[in-house]
Amino acid sequence: EAPSDEANLIQDLIAKAMPAVVTIFGLTDGEFPNRGGTPRGPISAGTGFFFSAEGLLLTNDHVVRDRESLRVILSTGEFKRAEIIGRDPYMDTAILKVEGGPFHVLSLGDSTKLRAGDTVIAVGSPLRNFEGSVSKGIVSGLGRRFPNRVQTAAGEVRIDLVGMIQTDAALNSGNSGGPLLNVRGEVIGMNTGREQGSD
């Protein structure tokens, strides 16, 4: 059976988007080996995406929080060092810098134009499989609240994220920080599947 026009559209969209999506690995203790080998210490995984050809990428803050060493895996399989250059724990966003480039980038769309029922595509690197995955869904709701934990000098506080997009697109551990795309391939949100700090 031949694929539908919608299937062709999404396949083309994903083919263009994937080169801009990366897997992020972080160590809570120690450093990655310079030349191969197994890193020491607990390791976390998440997703990010380039929005600048000069190597700037967006992800969730909880993906990189308290990490002493960060690496990203490009869609080509190449490993790169990454450093945090900006964080907003209250909005659960972080900007990383990766040396090199130019890199493939994703365009940022306008999430204020979303309506319930719009088709969206979630892209990420779940379950530490090193490869991008895709799930399709619809916008289930807009303006949702989501629990967020932020570490302050006075201790951990819980401040809800607001204005969240609810979707029925499947998300798994490791999808956090990946792009949520509209049917034009524009980023209209970042994926986060469960309470921050648990990925």
Side-chain angles (χ1 to χ4, degrees):
E1 182 179 350
S4 65
D5 290 342
E6 182 187 33
N8 283 325
L9 173 69
I10 291 175
Q11 288 165 2
D12 290 345
L13 180 157
I14 295 305
K16 293 178 182 178
M18 279 299 188
V21 179
V22 304
T23 303
I24 300 172
F25 284 95
L27 292 178
T28 55
D29 182 25
E31 288 285 332
F32 285 90
N34 287 328
R35 298 190 178 186
T38 303
R40 292 178 296 177
I43 190 168
S44 67
T47 306
F49 59 92
F50 288 109
F51 66 94
S52 161
E54 286 72 43
L56 297 180
L57 63 86
L58 275 170
T59 188
N60 283 146
D61 179 69
H62 76 268
V63 169
V64 298
R65 183 184 302 156
D66 301 324
R67 306 305 172 196
E68 295 185 5
S69 183
L70 292 169
R71 294 289 188 277
V72 301
I73 306 178
L74 307 182
S75 62
T76 59
E78 184 180 3
F79 279 75
K80 292 276 191 179
R81 287 180 178 269
E83 63 174 326
I84 302 170
I85 63 169
R87 293 179 56 212
D88 185 348
Y90 295 96
M91 292 298 293
D92 195 27
T93 57
I95 298 176
L96 308 186
K97 180 70 168 69
V98 177
E99 295 301 324
F103 297 99
H104 293 277
V105 300
L106 291 175
S107 299
L108 303 181
D110 186 353
S111 62
T112 65
K113 295 181 179 178
L114 284 176
R115 298 182 302 171
D118 283 350
T119 298
V120 289
I121 299 97
V123 183
S125 301
L127 309 178
R128 302 186 186 185
N129 286 330
F130 310 123
E131 296 180 1
S133 73
V134 179
S135 58
K136 185 184 79 167
I138 63 168
V139 173
S140 305
L142 296 165
R144 303 301 197 212
R145 303 180 75 90
F146 197 81
N148 184 34
R149 298 195 303 267
V150 178
Q151 190 67 38
T152 70
E156 187 175 84
V157 296
R158 180 166 172 152
I159 300 176
D160 286 353
L161 297 171
V162 297
M164 300 287 283
I165 301 164
Q166 179 188 357
T167 174
D168 65 352
L171 299 177
N172 295 288
S173 176
N175 266 121
S176 289
L180 185 69
L181 308 174
N182 60 23
V183 292
R184 291 180 293 280
E186 300 166 332
V187 180
I188 43 79
M190 262 197 303
N191 304 321
T192 187
R194 50 190 180 145
E195 191 165 349
Q196 273 62 38
S198 58
D199 272 1

